[in-house]
């Protein structure tokens, strides 16, 4: 059977635009129908080797990406999309082992949902990702600490005048920490601020993103000065560490 799949050249501009990459066509149809009923424009793609080109052409506002795909796997799709886009990526995984979750987050994904999918949870996570793309009107949108500058309105981070590329989740976690310099924030507080849900003791996304932030910002993970780990309590943004 040919791998050729028809896709539109663009998505409706009036609705939140979702690229759904899922090889289980029945599940894909159910997700597409449910999201469509809740105000999303969804285009399904059933192969990993078609997903990257679809993302380039359609420029969706969010990507929902299964990890187990024909063609190329979801992890490779995620990495390739991250090479040219900071679009929010939510991965779907059937594995409760945190290895897949950590791999996805390390590859540039912003969030994950376990299979079997709970539609209301998927919808809530997508809405949270989209909210994080929009700065809150009237709130402070810029912060500077030594060589580090964060512009939330432009969603841009620079260090020593060099732009630092961050994923949506990495940016939001940095902003949450930098908005409360010197304060110790628990994982629960960080997740509530970023995703609107609490820490369940299994979610590794905060730890993974903090590790990636330190690497990208040159904050030595063995002796971090900018984002400190306060053992047993959480993380602390040090305004003097930059």
């Amino acid at each position: 059977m040919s791998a050729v799949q028809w896709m539109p050249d663009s998505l409706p501009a009036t609705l939140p635009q979702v690229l759904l990459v899922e090889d289980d066509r029945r599940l894909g149809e159910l997700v597409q129908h449910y999201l469509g009923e809740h105000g999303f424009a969804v285009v399904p793609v059933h192969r990993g080797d078609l997903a990257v080109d679809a993302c380039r052409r359609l420029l969706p506002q969010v990507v929902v990406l299964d990890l187990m795909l024909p063609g190329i796997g979801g992890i490779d799709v995620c990495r390739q999309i991250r090479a040219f886009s900071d679009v929010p990526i939510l991965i779907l995984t059937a594995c409760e082992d945190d290895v897949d979750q950590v791999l996805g987050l390390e590859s540039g994904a912003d969030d994950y949902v376990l299979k079997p999918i709970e539609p209301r949870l998927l919808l809530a996570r997508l809405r949270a990702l989209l909210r994080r793309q929009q700065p809150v009107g009237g709130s402070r949108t810029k912060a500077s600490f030594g060589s580090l500058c964060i512009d939330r309105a432009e969603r841009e981070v620079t260090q020593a005048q060099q732009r630092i590329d961050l994923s949506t989740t990495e940016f939001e976690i940095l902003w949450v920490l930098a908005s409360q310099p010197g304060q110790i924030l628990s994982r629960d507080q960080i997740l509530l601020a970023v995703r609107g849900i609490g820490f369940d003791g299994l979610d590794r996304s905060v730890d993974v993103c903090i590790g990636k932030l330190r690497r990208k910002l040159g904050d030595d993970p063995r002796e971090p000065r900018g984002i400190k780990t306060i053992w047993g309590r959480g993380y602390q943004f040090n305004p003097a560490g930059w």
Side-chain angles (χ1 to χ4, degrees):
M1 182 179 293
S2 172
V4 175
Q5 178 182 339
W6 177 86
M7 284 176 287
D9 292 327
S10 63
L11 291 167
T14 56
L15 298 175
Q17 304 156 0
V18 178
L19 178 64
L20 173 62
V21 189
E22 170 60 67
D23 67 319
D24 184 331
R25 292 177 184 260
R26 176 59 178 162
L27 175 60
E29 289 172 0
L30 291 173
V31 170
Q32 183 177 7
H33 178 72
Y34 183 82
L35 294 181
E37 286 188 330
H38 289 81
F40 287 83
V42 181
V43 167
V45 176
H46 306 301
R47 295 181 59 90
D49 51 2
L50 300 178
V52 177
D53 179 64
C55 189
R56 286 184 186 276
R57 293 193 297 106
L58 300 175
L59 301 177
Q61 289 174 261
V62 64
V63 175
V64 177
L65 175 65
D66 188 21
L67 290 186
M68 301 299 292
L69 294 166
I72 60 174
I75 295 296
D76 288 330
V77 172
C78 189
R79 288 175 178 150
Q80 290 184 36
I81 290 176
R82 272 291 163 265
F84 65 87
S85 174
D86 62 357
V87 60
I89 299 174
L90 185 148
I91 57 174
L92 305 177
T93 174
C95 183
E96 294 188 11
D97 190 324
D98 66 1
V99 172
D100 271 3
Q101 298 156 23
V102 171
L103 266 176
L105 294 166
E106 285 280 8
S107 300
D110 297 284
D111 203 351
Y112 62 86
V113 168
L114 292 175
K115 291 182 175 181
I117 295 170
E118 166 52 53
R120 289 176 298 178
L121 176 61
L122 175 62
L123 179 64
R125 294 286 180 86
L126 288 177
R127 286 174 170 169
L129 284 173
L130 291 174
R131 283 196 302 271
R132 284 149 54 187
Q133 292 292 93
Q134 302 296 326
V136 178
S139 64
R140 184 166 67 104
T141 61
K142 291 185 179 182
S144 297
F145 307 91
S147 63
L148 180 67
C149 297
I150 310 169
D151 187 330
R152 196 180 188 197
E154 298 295 330
R155 305 195 68 80
E156 183 175 87
V157 174
T158 58
Q159 188 174 35
Q161 300 183 337
Q162 298 295 314
R163 178 168 178 167
I164 308 296
D165 291 325
L166 302 180
S167 72
T168 298
T169 298
E170 292 163 8
F171 182 93
E172 286 301 325
I173 287 179
L174 177 62
W175 180 258
V176 168
L177 291 168
S179 297
Q180 303 176 70
Q183 295 191 36
I184 300 170
L185 299 181
S186 67
R187 292 177 180 83
D188 192 63
Q189 290 173 308
I190 294 170
L191 278 176
L192 280 171
V194 171
R195 293 200 317 210
I197 61 171
F199 176 64
D200 63 7
L202 300 174
D203 196 317
R204 295 289 304 279
S205 57
V206 172
D207 298 328
V208 171
C209 284
I210 292 291
K212 294 182 72 174
L213 279 172
R214 285 171 173 160
R215 291 196 296 273
K216 291 183 178 183
L217 297 173
D219 193 17
D220 187 349
R222 294 168 297 182
E223 296 184 15
R225 297 184 67 249
I227 303 175
K228 295 184 175 182
T229 299
I230 310 301
W231 296 108
R233 300 180 63 187
Y235 294 101
Q236 179 188 53
F237 184 90
N238 177 19
W242 309 97

